Amino acid sequence: MSITNEDQMIGMQKVSEAVAYTLKKMIEYAEPGMTTKDLDKYGAGILEGFGAKSAPYLTYGFPGWTCISVDHEFCHGIPTDQRVLQEGDLINIDVSAELDGYWADNGGSFVIGKDIHGHQKLVEASKAILRKAIDNIKGGVKIADIGHLMETEAKKRGLKVIKNLGGHGVGRSLHEQPDELLNYRNRYDTRRFKKNSVVAIETFIATSSHLAVELKDGWTMVGNKGGYMAQHEHTIVVTDGKPIILTQMNEILN
């Protein structure tokens, strides 16, 4: 969407606060021995407290309030009673929701407990790349140039980007134009970021794979060559200068 008045900005701020606070509290709540279903129920309670509704459930009938992916799962992981979190697991939580007709999206990867498997380096790379990408987004900037920046920063660190996942416009629905805000330069993409537009900008930084493939459950995605992936995501408003980070409250880049 493009924000054209104060009411729209307030609406986006409210739903962004709901998803950002929920993500922050879920990350703080997660601990070894807990199931992903336990964690999802906790997040569901927070969203309900805001009067917000799960975006993946509303849009796609996703079997959970939030997407929780563990270790080799890259994204869209289904919360279950069978998946028990372990010390050192790489976790990704993606929280998106609708509130009063507005939609926002955010996510973050983190290591639970002690980093006994050495995942923190990947997490920090993803954070740094998202921070740099957001700092370089403003009206008129080529979308493909931000993708190029993200892939270049990943390669500097000996990492890869997932080429079939991307950020997207958001606001009046979960996925809007501009779609396919990719983590690499698509040389056929001549689009530019537009001032006042709302986008969910996200990283997909991986150790071994360059594509995400869907498992038989119809939701969970893993790498085509295995390995791990970290994702961090903010909903932002594009301006003439630094973007307004609507989901700043999640503190994923702290």
Side-chain angles (χ1 to χ4, degrees):
M1 70 176 288
S2 180
I3 291 181
T4 58
N5 60 55
E6 186 178 0
D7 286 346
Q8 291 174 342
M9 177 62 87
I10 291 170
M12 283 307 304
Q13 287 172 333
K14 285 182 177 179
V15 68
S16 296
E17 178 184 358
V19 298
Y21 184 75
T22 301
L23 177 61
K24 179 178 184 290
K25 299 307 289 185
M26 288 179 73
I27 291 172
E28 292 173 354
Y29 186 71
E31 62 180 22
M34 178 184 295
T35 69
T36 54
K37 188 72 170 179
D38 293 334
L39 186 55
D40 185 57
K41 285 180 179 177
Y42 177 74
I46 298 172
L47 284 176
E48 285 179 330
F50 281 97
K53 297 174 183 176
S54 164
Y57 175 76
L58 283 177
T59 306
Y60 304 113
F62 180 76
W65 278 74
T66 65
C67 299
I68 304 175
S69 309
V70 184
D71 281 345
H72 295 291
E73 298 171 349
F74 280 15
C75 60
H76 306 159
I78 301 170
T80 71
D81 288 325
Q82 288 74 48
R83 192 58 184 258
V84 179
L85 301 180
Q86 307 289 332
E87 188 85 18
D89 279 349
L90 175 63
I91 316 292
N92 178 266
I93 303 175
D94 195 301
V95 183
S96 54
E98 179 274 338
L99 179 61
D100 297 332
Y102 294 94
W103 303 64
D105 196 354
N106 70 163
S109 294
F110 62 100
V111 176
I112 190 166
K114 295 178 182 177
D115 183 30
I116 57 178
H117 304 300
H119 294 311
Q120 192 62 37
K121 181 181 177 183
L122 177 63
V123 170
E124 293 303 323
S126 175
K127 288 182 180 184
I129 292 167
L130 179 62
R131 187 180 296 111
K132 190 161 187 176
I134 289 174
D135 284 346
N136 282 274
I137 292 173
K138 62 181 178 180
V141 169
K142 285 185 178 179
I143 288 172
D145 285 352
I146 298 299
H148 179 65
L149 180 156
M150 295 167 98
E151 184 175 33
T152 300
E153 290 296 319
K155 285 181 174 178
K156 282 181 187 177
R157 296 165 169 82
L159 298 167
K160 304 177 186 298
V161 299
I162 301 300
K163 296 199 169 185
N164 61 333
L165 296 173
H168 51 90
V170 69
R172 285 301 194 175
S173 61
L174 179 57
H175 290 102
E176 299 180 344
Q177 295 298 323
D179 61 356
E180 296 188 347
L181 305 179
L182 302 172
N183 283 201
Y184 71 99
R185 186 199 297 277
N186 174 3
R187 61 194 180 96
Y188 300 107
D189 188 354
T190 59
R191 299 172 300 166
R192 297 174 184 269
F193 286 101
K194 296 179 180 178
K195 181 183 176 183
N196 298 326
S197 64
V198 184
V199 298
I201 187 79
E202 49 191 318
T203 56
F204 299 97
I205 310 302
T207 58
S208 309
S209 295
H210 65 279
L211 293 173
V213 294
E214 194 172 87
L215 296 182
K216 290 181 181 179
D217 66 15
W219 297 103
T220 309
M221 302 192 84
V222 299
N224 66 320
K225 295 183 179 179
Y228 300 90
M229 187 195 79
Q231 177 258 19
H232 290 85
E233 175 184 20
H234 269 308
T235 291
I236 67 173
V237 180
V238 180
T239 73
D240 281 336
K242 296 294 183 187
I244 299 166
I245 303 177
L246 293 172
T247 47
Q248 186 84 50
M249 185 187 286
N250 63 31
E251 298 181 359
I252 58 169
L253 299 185
N254 288 11

